[in-house]
Amino acid sequence: MKVVFPFALLAASMGASSGFVLSSPSSSNAKPSAVSLKASVEKTTTSKLIPPKSIEELMSHEGETGQLYDLNVQKTYGRYPLVIKNGKGCKLYTSDGKEFLDCVSGIATCALGHSNPELNAAINKQMGEVHHVSNLYLIPSQAALATWLCDNSVAQKAFFCNSGAEANEAAIKCARRHASNRGITKPVIITAHQSFHGRTLAALSATAQPKYHKGFGYDGQMVQGFKYVTYNSIEELKAAVQEINDTEGQGLAAIMMEALQGEGGIVPGNPEFFKTIREICDETGALMVMDEVQIGMGRSGKLWGYQNLGIEPDVFTSAKALGGGVPIGAMLAGPKAADVFGPGDHASTYGGNPLACSAGLAVAKYFSDHNILDNVEARGAQLEGGLTAVAEKYPELLGAVRGWGLLRGVVVSDKNVAPGKIVLAAMDEGLLLVAAGYDVVRFVPPLIVSEDEINTALALFEKAVEKVAASLKDLNP
């Protein structure tokens, strides 16, 4: 079959900045001269590059990795002095031979644990074929992954990108374009205090935590068009909508919420709050947007967090576990928003490439073949019960246990103890945990975690809590 493309239209859609040039038949057959070839070869052979250090070399020299970080890597993270060499299942191993039970999983990302055979095989196979091509062409794995996501959700169409922040940026753009189509010139998106939607500028503006805004505004302002309410407060939500409606030129573009606030302290959504959001969006024509980056892809015990709340969003976002650790993000749109974007309205160079989508398909297939959601429900209940028992044993130090499935947090009730202190104590016992918010210790193990591994995690956690509690008694006898 001969395929004929409208090249004039294609060239126009690419734009001047793309660097895409359509050559004439005569120019495409032109051969480089012997002089130009010789000059090219000489330039290549005389280049003097400093070769990169080998990973094996770094692993064999204790402390060198940390030194190179200090010299060459920007300090955007407070890093623990662990050099991870390899992993298997729910275990991680450091360069000095220590073993850790991983209840961080790359912060809710390595859903299938480490070195999963099925995921490895899919990645290796795709690397041996073609790992990246432009979205100018049809990519079978992208089509297949989009179909799986739509078949298992309210979505009709997917847009692929590389991260949660990018997925949320896409959702924000979609909401603004949808509002523009409705004649709104000052679109407002409502988000929640203590939310977290990403580090890019619009996603950061949607994140209603002033500590993340410091130093990134213009004349004291972040990206305009966002309004914040207290999470789960129906009264504040209704008041915010009324204020938008009463302000000339403004209109409600979207209400954007996490089904469960992760970085805000593991706070589950209230079904009545989300039912109210759905009603408001139906009445106003605004989009209901759900940020599923952390709680989605099975972590709650259901494939999507919104399924715990009895509502269906117009748009939701995914990333983290979607690729099992391979970078991929997606903005999924239902009937109300599926056709908002047209050619040229949004794009991503790497988004949805063959490698990332093959990883996503491997995760999807593993979920389907191994009943992962059943395991998440069972292990989540086990984890909740165990954490509650430890908290009840140390009421002077620990408080409420919150969360869904295998995203659980325990509140540190002693205001003089930072959650990081317990995280460090757990690390000393061989357990990796991560803080959430100001006062929560978070458990986010791989979704394949076993019953025995949860029991081990609980035992190690109790040892850590016992040591922290004892140290407090020594300070305050």
Side-chain angles (χ1 to χ4, degrees):
M1 180 181 68
K2 184 177 182 180
V3 181
V4 179
F5 290 100
F7 282 108
L9 178 60
L10 176 61
S13 69
M14 291 299 296
S17 64
S18 68
F20 187 93
V21 179
L22 295 175
S23 300
S24 67
S26 60
S27 65
S28 63
N29 292 326
K31 296 181 178 179
S33 68
V35 174
S36 65
L37 280 174
K38 182 179 178 182
S40 176
V41 171
E42 286 180 349
K43 184 176 180 181
T44 302
T45 56
T46 57
S47 175
K48 298 295 183 182
L49 293 178
I50 299 172
K53 289 181 177 290
S54 71
I55 297 175
E56 291 76 13
E57 181 184 354
L58 290 178
M59 289 293 182
S60 64
H61 292 81
E62 186 176 352
E64 187 172 0
T65 298
Q67 293 170 7
L68 293 179
Y69 260 92
D70 290 340
L71 287 171
N72 302 121
V73 180
Q74 292 197 8
K75 298 182 186 300
T76 55
Y77 279 81
R79 294 179 171 91
Y80 298 106
L82 297 182
V83 180
I84 305 299
K85 183 178 182 181
N86 63 294
K88 184 66 177 176
C90 295
K91 301 288 182 63
L92 284 172
Y93 303 91
T94 60
S95 58
D96 56 356
K98 294 177 182 176
E99 177 184 290
F100 291 89
L101 180 56
D102 183 13
C103 284
V104 178
S105 57
I107 308 186
T109 297
C110 299
L112 305 186
H114 306 285
S115 195
N116 176 270
E118 286 89 339
L119 181 57
N120 289 351
I123 292 170
N124 288 334
K125 180 176 184 295
Q126 193 63 60
M127 285 297 295
E129 295 172 353
V130 57
H131 68 287
H132 178 80
V133 294
S134 169
N135 276 299
L136 289 170
Y137 315 114
L138 301 177
I139 301 171
S141 57
Q142 183 180 138
L145 182 57
T147 299
W148 183 83
L149 290 168
C150 292
D151 285 348
N152 290 281
S153 73
V154 298
Q156 284 189 352
K157 291 184 180 177
F159 169 82
F160 289 104
C161 50
N162 311 288
S163 67
E166 289 175 72
N168 286 330
E169 287 277 346
I172 290 166
K173 285 183 68 176
C174 182
R176 285 195 167 193
R177 172 55 66 87
H178 183 265
S180 176
N181 293 345
R182 292 159 48 219
I184 296 172
T185 57
K186 295 180 180 179
V188 180
I189 298 174
I190 295 175
T191 64
H193 293 296
Q194 300 306 309
S195 60
F196 187 85
H197 299 292
R199 302 279 187 171
T200 51
L201 200 55
L204 191 64
S205 300
T207 297
Q209 296 198 52
K211 66 179 181 180
Y212 293 126
H213 295 176
K214 185 178 179 181
F216 296 110
Y218 177 84
D219 195 26
Q221 297 290 319
M222 296 294 287
V223 174
Q224 295 185 18
F226 293 95
K227 192 169 186 62
Y228 311 133
V229 300
T230 299
Y231 191 65
N232 285 333
S233 173
I234 295 174
E235 182 180 357
E236 284 192 28
L237 176 64
K238 289 182 175 179
V241 172
Q242 187 62 52
E243 184 178 335
I244 292 167
N245 291 337
D246 291 343
T247 303
E248 186 176 354
Q250 286 191 356
L252 182 63
I255 301 175
M256 181 178 184
M257 296 284 165
E258 297 161 273
L260 174 150
Q261 285 194 330
E263 301 304 318
I266 319 300
V267 182
N270 181 299
E272 286 303 311
F273 178 67
F274 281 86
K275 179 183 176 183
T276 302
I277 293 175
R278 182 68 272 172
E279 291 171 351
I280 290 170
C281 290
D282 288 341
E283 291 168 1
T284 61
L287 296 181
M288 181 178 189
V289 180
M290 302 287 284
D291 181 340
E292 296 266 0
V293 170
Q294 186 163 175
I295 193 61
M297 277 301 289
R299 188 152 289 278
S300 72
K302 300 184 185 300
L303 189 59
W304 307 113
Y306 70 76
Q307 293 171 325
N308 295 277
L309 298 169
I311 51 85
E312 292 185 347
D314 301 306
V315 173
F316 66 96
T317 57
S318 180
K320 287 190 179 288
L322 182 58
V326 174
I328 186 172
M331 189 268 287
L332 291 306
K336 201 169 168 181
D339 296 315
V340 170
F341 284 157
D345 286 337
H346 201 47
S348 172
T349 296
Y350 292 107
N353 76 12
L355 180 63
C357 287
S358 290
L361 282 173
V363 173
K365 189 174 189 308
Y366 197 94
F367 273 36
S368 302
D369 291 349
H370 296 270
N371 297 317
I372 286 297
L373 297 181
D374 290 345
N375 188 63
V376 175
E377 286 194 353
R379 301 288 71 78
Q382 178 189 359
L383 181 58
E384 180 186 32
L387 290 176
T388 300
V390 176
E392 289 174 349
K393 189 173 179 179
Y394 296 92
E396 73 285 356
L397 183 58
L398 301 178
V401 175
R402 303 194 292 242
W404 294 333
L406 287 174
L407 178 51
R408 299 284 176 174
V410 56
V411 175
V412 181
S413 54
D414 188 329
K415 301 304 178 185
N416 295 316
V417 178
K421 186 177 181 68
I422 297 177
V423 169
L424 280 171
M427 190 179 295
D428 288 341
E429 299 299 327
L431 174 66
L432 298 181
L433 301 172
V434 62
Y438 296 100
D439 60 354
V440 173
V441 175
R442 175 173 27 172
F443 285 72
V444 274
L447 304 187
I448 61 166
V449 68
S450 69
E451 181 178 1
D452 286 346
E453 286 169 329
I454 290 292
N455 284 332
T456 299
L458 289 167
L460 296 175
F461 179 65
E462 185 169 353
K463 284 184 180 180
V465 171
E466 181 181 10
K467 289 185 177 180
V468 172
S471 70
L472 294 175
K473 287 182 180 179
D474 291 340
L475 292 174
N476 301 287

